[in-house]
């Protein structure tokens, strides 16, 4: 009986440990933690870590959170959140699991598919009235990255003028 009582939690710990759940290293002010994880994963796919830090490492998800809270109107905030939820629901429908639970390859493939579809819609005759979520996310990620110290000094052709 003692062995069963000790081994059952150990087995559950091992099984739960096999599914790595990403974590946040910042506290969201506007987004929920689940939404912030999704934003962080998508931002990192848009600008991954290479020989320079990626979007997560320079704080782009936190930047997006503050920008949404402090600069966006209620209507824009609602549209972003609705797009975020729809993006996650589409991932669950097409891939069988929420976006953050997918493996890295499936996440990249899904973001690429969503991006390509949004770009085709933007260029098509029936251009959507509102900007697709993935394109808004891409704009915010690039804005946050290239206005960071790393993006401005290590990636852009930055020359300080005395």
């Amino acid at each position: 009986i003692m062995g069963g009582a000790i081994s059952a939690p150990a087995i559950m710990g091992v099984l739960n440990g096999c599914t790595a759940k990403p974590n946040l290293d910042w506290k969201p002010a506007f987004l929920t933690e689940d939404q912030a994880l999704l934003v962080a994963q998508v931002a990192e796919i848009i600008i991954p870590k290479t020989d320079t830090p990626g979007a997560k490492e320079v704080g782009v998800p936190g930047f997006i959170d503050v920008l949404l809270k402090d600069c966006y109107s209620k209507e824009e905030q609602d549209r972003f959140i609705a797009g975020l939820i729809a993006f996650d629901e589409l991932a669950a429908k097409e891939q069988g699991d929420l976006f953050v639970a997918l493996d890295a390859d499936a996440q990249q493939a899904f973001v690429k598919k969503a991006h390509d579809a949004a770009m085709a819609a933007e260029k098509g005759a029936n251009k959507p009235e509102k900007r697709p979520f993935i394109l808004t996310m891409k704009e915010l990620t690039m804005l946050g990255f290239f206005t960071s110290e790393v993006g401005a000094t290590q990636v852009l052709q930055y020359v300080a003028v005395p």
Side-chain angles (χ1 to χ4, degrees):
I1 293 175
M2 181 115 162
I6 293 173
S7 63
I11 290 171
M12 287 305 294
V14 169
L15 292 176
N16 287 337
C18 291
T19 56
K21 183 178 178 184
N23 57 1
L24 292 175
D25 57 355
W26 56 283
K27 180 80 174 147
F30 173 74
L31 300 168
T32 66
E33 286 198 19
D34 289 339
Q35 292 169 342
L37 282 170
L38 179 56
V39 165
Q41 290 297 104
V42 174
E44 189 66 18
I45 289 169
I46 293 170
I47 302 180
K49 180 178 181 173
T50 56
D51 55 338
T52 59
K56 278 201 279 192
E57 201 169 335
V58 299
V60 169
F63 170 83
I64 291 171
D65 183 58
V66 169
L67 197 66
L68 287 168
K69 179 181 173 286
D70 294 341
C71 301
Y72 274 40
S73 68
K74 175 73 171 132
E75 179 185 331
E76 292 169 324
Q77 290 172 343
D78 292 344
R79 186 172 47 240
F80 184 87
I81 296 300
L84 186 68
I85 292 168
F87 179 84
D88 205 20
E89 288 174 349
L90 185 61
K93 181 181 174 186
E94 290 185 7
Q95 303 291 323
D97 212 342
L98 295 176
F99 184 81
V100 294
L102 300 174
D103 64 47
D105 291 337
Q107 286 179 345
Q108 287 179 356
F110 186 76
V111 168
K112 181 174 180 358
K113 180 181 175 187
H115 180 268
D116 291 348
M119 290 302 293
E122 286 276 305
K123 292 178 182 175
N126 297 330
K127 185 176 177 178
E129 186 178 316
K130 308 270 190 227
R131 189 127 185 136
F133 164 77
I134 194 68
L135 297 182
T136 301
M137 186 65 202
K138 183 178 178 182
E139 289 172 356
L140 291 174
T141 300
M142 292 177 69
L143 176 66
F145 184 80
F146 290 113
T147 57
S148 71
E149 183 178 352
V150 169
T153 60
Q154 294 181 26
V155 178
L156 295 176
Q157 305 291 323
Y158 175 78
V159 177
V161 178

